[in-house]
Coordinates of all heavy atoms in Angstrom, one line a residue:
A5 N 23.0 -59.3 -159.1 CA 23.5 -60.2 -158.0 C 24.3 -59.3 -157.0 O 25.0 -58.4 -157.4 CB 24.4 -61.2 -158.6
T6 N 24.1 -59.6 -155.8 CA 24.8 -58.9 -154.8 C 26.1 -59.6 -154.4 O 26.1 -60.8 -154.2 CB 24.0 -58.7 -153.5 OG1 22.8 -58.0 -153.8 CG2 24.7 -58.0 -152.4
I7 N 27.2 -58.9 -154.4 CA 28.5 -59.5 -154.1 C 28.6 -59.6 -152.6 O 28.3 -58.6 -151.9 CB 29.6 -58.7 -154.7 CG1 29.5 -58.4 -156.2 CG2 31.0 -59.3 -154.3 CD1 29.5 -59.7 -157.0
S8 N 29.0 -60.7 -152.0 CA 29.1 -60.9 -150.6 C 30.4 -60.2 -150.1 O 31.4 -60.0 -150.9 CB 29.1 -62.3 -150.2 OG 30.3 -63.0 -150.6
A9 N 30.5 -60.0 -148.8 CA 31.7 -59.4 -148.3 C 32.9 -60.4 -148.4 O 34.0 -60.0 -148.8 CB 31.5 -59.1 -146.8
A10 N 32.6 -61.7 -148.2 CA 33.7 -62.7 -148.4 C 34.2 -62.8 -149.8 O 35.4 -62.8 -150.0 CB 33.2 -64.1 -148.0
Q11 N 33.3 -62.7 -150.8 CA 33.8 -62.7 -152.2 C 34.6 -61.4 -152.5 O 35.6 -61.5 -153.2 CB 32.6 -62.8 -153.2 CG 33.1 -62.9 -154.6 CD 32.0 -63.0 -155.6 OE1 30.9 -63.3 -155.3 NE2 32.3 -62.7 -156.9
A12 N 34.1 -60.3 -152.1 CA 34.7 -59.0 -152.4 C 36.1 -59.0 -151.8 O 37.1 -58.6 -152.4 CB 33.9 -57.8 -151.8
Q13 N 36.3 -59.5 -150.5 CA 37.6 -59.5 -149.9 C 38.5 -60.5 -150.6 O 39.7 -60.2 -150.9 CB 37.5 -59.8 -148.4 CG 38.8 -59.8 -147.7 CD 38.7 -59.9 -146.2 OE1 37.7 -59.6 -145.6 NE2 39.8 -60.4 -145.6
A14 N 38.0 -61.7 -150.9 CA 38.8 -62.7 -151.6 C 39.3 -62.2 -152.9 O 40.5 -62.4 -153.3 CB 38.0 -64.0 -151.7
D15 N 38.4 -61.6 -153.7 CA 38.8 -61.1 -155.1 C 39.8 -60.0 -154.9 O 40.7 -59.9 -155.7 CB 37.5 -60.6 -155.8 CG 36.6 -61.8 -156.3 OD1 37.0 -62.9 -156.3 OD2 35.4 -61.5 -156.6
T16 N 39.6 -59.1 -154.0 CA 40.5 -58.0 -153.8 C 41.9 -58.5 -153.3 O 43.0 -58.1 -153.8 CB 40.0 -57.0 -152.8 OG1 38.7 -56.5 -153.3 CG2 40.9 -55.8 -152.5
Q17 N 41.9 -59.5 -152.5 CA 43.2 -60.1 -152.0 C 43.9 -60.8 -153.2 O 45.1 -60.7 -153.4 CB 43.0 -61.0 -150.9 CG 42.7 -60.3 -149.6 CD 42.4 -61.3 -148.5 OE1 41.7 -62.3 -148.7 NE2 42.7 -60.9 -147.3
R18 N 43.2 -61.4 -154.1 CA 43.7 -62.1 -155.2 C 44.3 -61.0 -156.2 O 45.4 -61.2 -156.7 CB 42.6 -62.9 -155.9 CG 43.1 -63.6 -157.2 CD 41.8 -64.3 -157.8 NE 42.1 -64.9 -159.1 CZ 42.4 -66.2 -159.3 NH1 42.6 -67.0 -158.2 NH2 42.7 -66.6 -160.5
V46 N 34.5 -54.0 -146.1 CA 33.6 -54.1 -147.2 C 32.3 -53.4 -146.9 O 31.7 -53.6 -145.8 CB 33.3 -55.6 -147.5 CG1 32.4 -55.7 -148.7 CG2 34.6 -56.4 -147.8
L48 N 28.7 -53.1 -148.2 CA 27.8 -53.9 -149.1 C 26.6 -53.2 -149.7 O 26.1 -53.7 -150.7 CB 27.3 -55.2 -148.3 CG 28.4 -56.2 -148.0 CD1 27.8 -57.3 -147.1 CD2 28.9 -56.8 -149.3
I80 N 36.3 -51.6 -149.7 CA 35.8 -52.2 -150.9 C 34.3 -52.0 -151.0 O 33.6 -52.3 -150.0 CB 36.1 -53.7 -151.0 CG1 37.6 -53.9 -150.7 CG2 35.7 -54.3 -152.4 CD1 37.9 -55.3 -150.1
P82 N 31.6 -53.3 -153.4 CA 31.4 -54.1 -154.6 C 30.0 -53.9 -155.3 O 29.8 -54.3 -156.4 CB 31.5 -55.5 -154.1 CG 31.1 -55.4 -152.7 CD 31.7 -54.1 -152.2
P138 N 39.1 -55.2 -158.8 CA 37.8 -55.9 -159.1 C 36.6 -55.1 -158.8 O 35.5 -55.3 -159.4 CB 37.9 -57.2 -158.2 CG 39.3 -57.3 -157.8 CD 39.9 -56.0 -157.9
Y139 N 36.7 -54.3 -157.8 CA 35.5 -53.5 -157.3 C 35.9 -52.1 -157.0 O 37.1 -51.9 -156.7 CB 34.9 -54.2 -156.1 CG 34.6 -55.6 -156.2 CD1 35.4 -56.6 -155.7 CD2 33.5 -56.0 -157.0 CE1 35.2 -57.9 -155.8 CE2 33.2 -57.4 -157.2 CZ 34.1 -58.3 -156.6 OH 33.8 -59.7 -156.8
G185 N 39.7 -60.2 -161.9 CA 38.4 -59.5 -161.9 C 37.5 -60.0 -160.9 O 37.8 -60.9 -160.1
P186 N 36.2 -59.6 -160.9 CA 35.2 -60.1 -159.9 C 35.0 -61.6 -160.1 O 35.0 -62.1 -161.3 CB 33.9 -59.3 -160.4 CG 34.4 -58.1 -161.0 CD 35.7 -58.5 -161.7
G187 N 35.0 -62.3 -159.1 CA 34.8 -63.7 -159.1 C 36.0 -64.6 -159.3 O 36.0 -65.8 -159.3
G188 N 37.1 -63.9 -159.6 CA 38.4 -64.6 -159.8 C 38.8 -65.6 -158.7 O 39.3 -66.7 -159.0
A189 N 38.6 -65.2 -157.5 CA 39.0 -66.0 -156.4 C 38.2 -67.3 -156.3 O 38.6 -68.3 -155.7 CB 38.9 -65.2 -155.1
A190 N 37.0 -67.3 -156.9 CA 36.1 -68.5 -156.8 C 36.4 -69.5 -157.9 O 35.9 -70.6 -157.9 CB 34.6 -68.0 -157.0
R191 N 37.2 -69.1 -158.9 CA 37.6 -70.0 -160.0 C 38.7 -70.9 -159.6 O 39.6 -70.6 -158.8 CB 37.9 -69.2 -161.2 CG 36.7 -68.5 -161.8 CD 37.0 -68.0 -163.2 NE 37.5 -66.6 -163.1 CZ 36.8 -65.5 -163.0 NH1 35.5 -65.6 -162.9 NH2 37.3 -64.3 -163.1

Side-chain angles (χ1 to χ4, degrees):
T6 300
I7 305 300
S8 70
Q11 180 181 345
Q13 183 172 335
D15 289 343
T16 299
Q17 287 173 326
R18 179 182 174 94
V46 181
L48 289 176
I80 310 154
Y139 308 104
R191 291 189 272 278

